Amino acid sequence: MAGIYIHIPFCLQACHYCDFHFSTNRKHAPEMVSMICRELKLRKDYLPEGEAIHTLYFGGGTPSLLTADQIREIHDAIHTHFDCQLLETTLEANPDDLEAKKLDAWLALGIDRLSIGIQSFDDDVLKFYNRSHNARESLLAIDKARKAGFKSLSMDLIYGFPYKDHSIWQADLAQTLALTPDHISSYCLTIEPKTALGVWEKKGKFQAASEDFQAEQFEILQQSLEKAGYLQYEISNFARDKAFSLHNSNYWKGVPYLGIGPGAHSFDGAHRGSNIAHNTRYIRLLEENKPAFRQETLSATEQINEYLLTSLRTIWGIDPAFLLEKFGWDLLKEKKKALSDMQQQGLIQMEYQSISLSNKGKLLADYLAAKLFI
């Protein structure tokens, strides 16, 4: 069940927390689209032979900034060069881009799932983040998408905004739940060094919320969404009626995927790599039919550690039998004491030959995974 990820490296403006690869200069968008199509052709044999494409994901950046014709051009190139048996096609969108004509065009292409970057319903918070939309536009966007015919909607939220109490976060969750999306992705506000927030923090102009404050908001998130019928199937992702993101679930399960566009990552099952994260250089290389991709071969140890890290974040958890069969590594034997300690502390659950995190353990996911690394 392989997937293709298309990275669209353009944004209307720079959010103060974002460290993904993007540019606010869209002058070369037509050339970028053409070179993305060329890369699809050049790398059509990257995935294991016979792998059909079951999931397609337009991410970024802001894919919804492209015209409907530009999305169609990429979409057609994918279908030309790959065996597409699509079960899910997702497009990330900002609320202020959801025009009726675009929505209709996306649906006509088979895009059946929108991931909408709401982040907050508080206008002051949105301004602080330098988002290009306001709360009213978010509400209108959800309404437009549903009227157009989109049944699967995911909403992105950010928690951990520094404030005197949890009232803003509680209001954000209440408004989100009132809109009843089938999927919610929620991430902690992380301060990266090269972002505006990172620069402000270094200069003493901004202070992030404490770890305790962030943990409290994570617990409010878990409790609120569980009460509303959402299943936390991955640390940052919640769904009703099993409306899991198939594409992202495959990432966590180690399924091969092809990443196209500047800064995109790929994985063929044993090798991982990434494209150059520079728009102009990417375009120049592809114009010369040269690869913009750099590959690395993962050692068995790296593959095991990566599996532990990603699997522990999900409801499916770690499968010790899989590790023993594929790598000859006995997790239950090699990490017996660490697993016993975690279980006694109520951080993990061990049942049906799988190891998964308890709600308490989800607060320490990366730390616990590192304890199991080789």
Side-chain angles (χ1 to χ4, degrees):
M1 189 184 279
I4 293 178
Y5 170 81
I6 306 292
H7 187 79
I8 305 301
F10 300 110
C11 287
L12 185 63
Q13 57 198 49
C15 297
H16 289 158
Y17 53 78
C18 182
D19 71 339
F20 291 152
H21 172 66
F22 71 93
S23 172
T24 56
N25 182 354
R26 289 177 281 156
K27 182 173 65 174
H28 298 294
E31 294 98 313
M32 178 62 70
V33 170
S34 294
M35 292 307 104
I36 283 174
C37 293
R38 181 170 294 184
E39 189 189 0
L40 283 162
K41 180 180 180 180
L42 291 174
R43 300 187 65 201
K44 59 187 175 67
D45 297 322
Y46 173 79
L47 293 168
E49 187 176 354
E51 283 276 8
I53 303 302
H54 287 96
T55 64
L56 175 57
Y57 195 105
F58 290 89
T62 312
S64 56
L65 280 178
L66 294 187
T67 67
D69 285 342
Q70 288 170 333
I71 293 290
R72 183 181 297 108
E73 186 178 346
I74 297 171
H75 180 272
D76 290 350
I78 293 168
H79 282 261
T80 297
H81 302 300
F82 296 87
D83 175 17
C84 293
Q85 300 174 24
L86 294 173
L87 302 176
E88 175 190 272
T89 302
T90 302
L91 184 138
E92 291 182 353
N94 275 353
D96 43 317
D97 294 330
L98 297 194
E99 305 163 359
K101 288 184 178 180
K102 279 188 176 181
L103 289 163
D104 291 341
W106 296 339
L107 277 171
L109 287 175
I111 294 170
D112 54 10
R113 184 174 182 272
L114 292 182
S115 177
I116 304 175
I118 302 294
Q119 315 311 357
S120 177
F121 287 98
D122 187 287
D123 282 337
D124 289 334
V125 172
L126 291 171
K127 287 178 183 177
F128 179 80
Y129 289 158
N130 200 37
R131 294 291 293 169
S132 59
H133 69 278
N134 57 38
R136 180 177 178 276
E137 287 173 313
S138 292
L139 297 173
L140 287 173
I142 299 296
D143 186 56
K144 288 178 186 177
R146 284 186 166 144
K147 285 181 177 177
F150 280 94
K151 292 182 171 55
S152 184
L153 298 177
S154 179
M155 293 169 58
D156 282 4
L157 298 174
I158 295 176
Y159 66 89
F161 177 78
Y163 194 61
K164 62 182 180 181
D165 56 31
H166 299 307
S167 57
I168 292 177
W169 180 229
Q170 290 167 329
D172 279 345
L173 287 173
Q175 179 63 82
T176 299
L177 292 174
L179 294 168
T180 64
D182 58 356
H183 190 281
I184 297 169
S185 295
S186 188
Y187 306 94
C188 185
L189 179 62
T190 304
I191 314 304
E192 301 293 348
K194 295 182 180 180
T195 63
L197 291 185
V199 173
W200 296 345
E201 185 178 56
K202 188 175 181 180
K203 292 181 177 180
K205 296 180 179 180
F206 171 76
Q207 185 174 352
S210 69
E211 289 186 3
D212 286 345
F213 184 87
Q214 293 172 346
E216 288 168 4
Q217 295 213 333
F218 181 71
E219 290 174 332
I220 292 171
L221 169 70
Q222 288 179 305
Q223 293 162 8
S224 299
L225 268 56
E226 182 179 358
K227 186 177 179 181
Y230 289 82
L231 176 64
Q232 187 178 15
Y233 71 103
E234 193 271 343
I235 294 292
S236 301
N237 290 273
F238 303 76
R240 292 195 315 170
D241 303 321
K242 295 187 177 180
F244 306 154
S245 166
L246 296 181
H247 187 86
N248 290 336
S249 293
N250 286 342
Y251 284 160
W252 305 318
K253 293 177 180 179
V255 175
Y257 62 91
L258 172 62
I260 298 291
H265 291 249
S266 300
F267 176 63
D268 68 1
H271 310 89
R272 189 171 297 286
S274 61
N275 284 351
I276 188 169
H278 190 288
N279 287 4
T280 303
R281 292 179 191 168
Y282 173 86
I283 289 172
R284 285 177 182 168
L285 286 168
L286 269 298
E287 283 177 338
E288 298 172 6
N289 288 315
K290 294 179 179 178
F293 177 70
R294 298 172 183 173
Q295 181 168 285
E296 63 172 311
T297 300
L298 300 177
S299 67
T301 295
E302 288 171 327
Q303 291 184 61
I304 291 170
N305 288 346
E306 185 169 287
Y307 172 80
L308 293 170
L309 180 66
T310 56
S311 297
L312 196 59
R313 294 178 61 89
T314 72
I315 57 168
W316 304 288
I318 296 168
D319 181 357
F322 167 78
L323 289 170
L324 188 59
E325 180 181 348
K326 183 171 182 179
F327 301 104
W329 188 67
D330 191 338
L331 171 66
L332 299 180
K333 177 182 176 182
E334 298 295 336
K335 298 293 180 177
K336 182 177 180 179
K337 185 178 188 311
L339 290 169
S340 177
D341 290 345
M342 292 176 193
Q343 192 171 25
Q344 288 179 15
Q345 294 171 45
L347 300 173
I348 61 170
Q349 301 159 154
M350 298 178 64
E351 54 187 18
Y352 306 115
Q353 289 300 304
S354 72
I355 301 167
S356 58
L357 296 172
S358 65
N359 276 351
K360 181 181 176 182
K362 288 171 185 174
L363 285 164
L364 303 166
D366 291 347
Y367 169 77
L368 296 177
K371 286 285 188 182
L372 301 178
F373 285 174
I374 297 178

